[in-house]
């Protein structure tokens, strides 16, 4: 794939991305305040596809560095398996830290990608299987889903931050509401209702990262909880690299009428945890997520919102005061 | 399934338990110990449990995210996934 996101032809002799070699190249992106630098031998190694291209960063500093390398094939792992997510990825212990193997039924039983990363998620090596990728008509994004989201999700355990299943909507008056919900709870519907009624910025309609802003990303001197857009959008297809100070959180559920109920801190932690993306394979990561949620709900008011999917659901929030 | 949401006070503790699919969690309420009405405080309420269901199939990124709509891998991911998830 070239820098415009056009997939390269891997057919032997067709002038593939594997030849001619070029000077090592790098690319950077930032999601949720996590700055990732990619290093590779070929432009396609470090390519970003839309909407990830929106998150490209020119910042020379980084939190995570990923070196991409092609290998002829990736053998099945003999290491101890720590977690099996189902059809897409498995986690193993490695000498360096962790080994993520990615599988696809389309590409056979061997991993088509392998990510080796240290336990602090600062240095990583990504191996791509020439054998597997050569079976595809076009090369997918090397760091494409779920690798990118897994990397960011794991790195967030080292920060005061968490990824939530929700839609983040910032109004013109700077009120930034986060609507959190399981699949089918109404996130995309809520997003469409808001965008049809007033000028808002939607940071994402499916995945939002909330983190404590130590002043790095907001205006000088401002600190507090901040929500960030991500590339991992939902049905409404909103993905923004922007962020905003978080005003309040609503737990979305379908109901009769539009009813807002303030949640206690313990209720809010439980409900948010059930809608969070946290690495479950290690207790310290779960504890880090819970600790941050406790901090979050102690700072930002959290409500349950039983709503009906029409304009009145938006009006209710517009007229709402804490 | 309609969940039950009892009132739980601030300061309640959270206990993680392995139950069912191993992903359930209990919220343990233990508040207002030693408080009384004559001090203008809330009356004592007995601790009770709230079970909150997790959705591991969503939480662990075990599926292709949104087929055909870009999603995290995007329609350009190049794969034919057997199942879609969120």
């Amino acid at each position: 794939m070239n820098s415009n996101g056009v997939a390269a032809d891997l057919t032997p002799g067709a002038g593939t991305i594997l030849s001619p070699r070029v000077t090592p190249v790098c690319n950077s992106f930032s999601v949720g305040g996590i700055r990732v630098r990619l290093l590779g031998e070929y432009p396609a190694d470090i390519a970003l596809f839309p909407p990830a291209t929106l998150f490209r960063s020119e910042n020379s500093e980084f939190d995570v560095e990923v070196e991409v390398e092609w290998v002829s094939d990736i053998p099945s792992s003999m290491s101890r398996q720590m977690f099996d997510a189902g059809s897409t990825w498995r986690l193993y212990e490695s000498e360096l830290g962790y080994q993520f193997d990615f599988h696809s039924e389309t590409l056979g039983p061997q991993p088509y990608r392998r990510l080796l990363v240290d336990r602090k998620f600062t240095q990583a090596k990504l191996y791509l299987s020439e054998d597997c990728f050569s079976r595809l008509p076009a090369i997918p994004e090397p760091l494409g889903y779920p690798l990118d989201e897994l990397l960011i999700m794991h790195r967030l355990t080292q920060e005061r931050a968490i990824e939530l299943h929700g839609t983040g909507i910032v109004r013109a008056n700077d009120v930034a509401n986060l609507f959190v919900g399981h699949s089918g709870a109404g996130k995309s519907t809520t997003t469409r209702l808001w965008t049809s009624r007033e000028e808002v910025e939607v940071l994402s309609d499916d995945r939002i990262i909330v983190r404590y802003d130590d002043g790095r990303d907001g205006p000088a001197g401002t600190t507090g909880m901040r929500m960030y857009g991500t590339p991992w959008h939902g049905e409404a297809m909103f993905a923004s690299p922007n962020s905003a100070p978080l005003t309040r959180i609503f737990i979305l559920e379908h109901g009769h009428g539009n009813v807002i109920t303030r949640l206690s801190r313990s209720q809010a932690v439980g409900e948010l945890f059930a809608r969070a993306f946290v690495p479950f394979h290690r207790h310290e990561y779960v504890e880090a997520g819970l600790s941050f949620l406790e901090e979050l709900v102690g700072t930002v008011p959290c409500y349950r919102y039983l709503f009906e999917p029409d304009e009145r659901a938006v009006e209710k929030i517009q007229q709402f005061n804490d | 399934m309609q969940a039950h949401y009892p009132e739980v006070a601030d300061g309640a503790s959270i206990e993680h338990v392995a139950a069912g699919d191993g992903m359930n969690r209990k919220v343990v309420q233990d508040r207002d110990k030693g408080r009384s009405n004559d001090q203008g405080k809330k009356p004592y309420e007995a601790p009770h449990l709230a079970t909150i269901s997790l959705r591991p199939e969503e939480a662990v990124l075990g599926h292709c995210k949104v087929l055909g709509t870009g999603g995290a891998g995007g329609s350009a991911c190049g794969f034919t996934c057997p199942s879609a998830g969120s």
Side-chain angles (χ1 to χ4, degrees):
Chain A
M1 190 165 7
N2 63 23
S3 59
N4 296 320
V6 178
D9 186 353
L10 267 188
T11 306
T16 73
I17 62 157
L18 304 182
S19 62
R21 291 198 169 197
V22 295
T23 304
V25 289
C26 71
N27 201 356
S28 298
F29 67 92
S30 177
V31 176
I34 305 295
R35 300 161 299 185
V36 180
R37 183 165 81 167
L38 309 175
L39 297 172
E41 283 190 89
Y42 315 100
D45 299 351
I46 55 167
L48 300 174
F49 278 35
T53 47
L54 298 171
F55 294 77
R56 183 173 287 139
S57 168
E58 301 298 331
N59 196 331
S60 60
E61 298 179 1
F62 58 89
D63 304 298
V64 187
E65 185 177 63
V66 182
E67 187 179 349
V68 182
E69 183 176 330
W70 286 90
V71 293
S72 57
D73 65 344
I74 301 174
S76 296
S77 180
M78 302 297 287
S79 304
R80 185 176 77 87
Q81 182 173 301
M82 299 173 64
F83 190 78
D84 186 348
S87 60
T88 55
W89 64 276
R90 295 174 194 144
L91 176 64
Y92 300 88
E93 274 189 324
S94 79
E95 289 184 8
L96 181 65
Y98 299 120
Q99 173 184 311
F100 293 84
D101 280 5
F102 297 86
H103 297 263
S104 166
E105 288 187 1
T106 305
L107 300 178
Q110 302 295 108
Y112 66 90
R113 289 188 294 191
R114 173 169 290 167
L115 182 76
L116 296 173
V117 61
D118 69 286
R119 296 184 191 282
K120 295 294 183 183
F121 304 99
T122 59
Q123 290 285 329
K125 185 107 177 183
L126 174 61
Y127 294 101
L128 305 174
S129 166
E130 290 180 2
D131 178 51
C132 289
F133 280 90
S134 65
R135 298 173 208 169
L136 295 173
I139 296 183
E141 186 177 18
L143 258 74
Y145 182 87
L147 192 155
D148 53 353
E149 191 171 356
L150 280 172
L151 184 62
I152 296 294
M153 180 215 294
H154 280 78
R155 172 66 201 194
L156 291 176
T157 63
Q158 309 298 308
E159 315 272 340
R160 292 163 69 182
I162 202 163
E163 182 184 358
L164 294 167
H165 209 172
T167 177
I169 298 175
V170 185
R171 303 181 65 190
N173 61 3
D174 293 331
V175 170
N177 293 319
L178 171 55
F179 299 89
V180 178
H182 289 303
S183 290
K187 297 184 294 298
S188 294
T189 300
T190 295
T191 304
R192 292 189 183 102
L193 287 170
W194 276 91
T195 53
S196 67
R197 275 195 65 95
E198 64 175 61
E199 285 293 323
V200 294
E201 178 176 18
V202 180
L203 298 178
S204 169
D205 63 321
D206 201 58
R207 304 283 212 266
I208 291 290
I209 289 171
V210 178
R211 68 181 297 159
Y212 178 76
D213 178 17
D214 56 6
R216 185 170 73 172
D217 293 331
T222 62
T223 60
M225 293 298 173
R226 196 171 188 87
M227 68 172 173
Y228 295 74
T230 72
W232 312 300
H233 59 73
E235 293 173 12
M237 300 184 71
F238 285 93
S240 166
N242 295 334
S243 65
L246 179 57
T247 305
R248 59 177 79 92
I249 301 171
F250 296 96
I251 307 293
L252 277 181
E253 290 181 17
H254 291 291
H256 298 293
N258 298 305
V259 181
I260 299 172
T261 307
R262 177 76 185 252
L263 296 177
S264 69
R265 292 185 184 186
S266 55
Q267 283 179 312
V269 168
E271 298 293 350
L272 291 174
F273 185 70
R275 296 159 179 82
F277 297 93
V278 174
F280 288 107
H281 54 83
R282 290 194 72 87
H283 67 85
E284 56 262 43
Y285 298 156
V286 174
E287 289 165 4
L290 285 168
S291 294
F292 178 71
L293 287 177
E294 286 187 51
E295 183 182 0
L296 173 61
V297 302
T299 308
V300 177
C302 187
Y303 305 87
R304 184 184 314 286
Y305 189 27
L306 299 176
F307 79 105
E308 292 188 55
D310 59 40
E311 290 187 342
R312 289 169 296 181
V314 175
E315 293 168 3
K316 180 80 174 183
I317 301 295
Q318 288 172 327
Q319 297 160 8
F320 179 72
N321 292 306
D322 294 297
Chain B
M1 183 179 67
Q2 180 63 48
H4 175 60
Y5 304 105
E7 284 298 318
V8 183
D10 290 351
S13 61
I14 299 167
E15 175 185 347
H16 305 280
V17 296
D21 58 1
M23 301 296 284
N24 287 333
R25 209 156 59 79
K26 291 179 179 177
V27 178
V28 182
Q29 180 180 346
D30 185 10
R31 68 167 195 174
D32 296 337
K33 284 181 178 175
R35 295 181 179 179
S36 61
N37 273 329
D38 57 8
Q39 295 175 315
K41 305 286 179 64
K42 293 180 180 178
Y44 172 79
E45 293 179 12
H48 54 265
L49 302 178
T51 300
I52 296 171
S53 297
L54 306 183
R55 295 192 183 181
E57 72 279 8
E58 294 182 14
V60 303
L61 311 181
H63 300 275
C64 181
K65 191 172 177 298
V66 184
L67 288 175
T69 59
S75 56
C77 80
F79 299 129
T80 304
C81 297
S83 60
S86 182

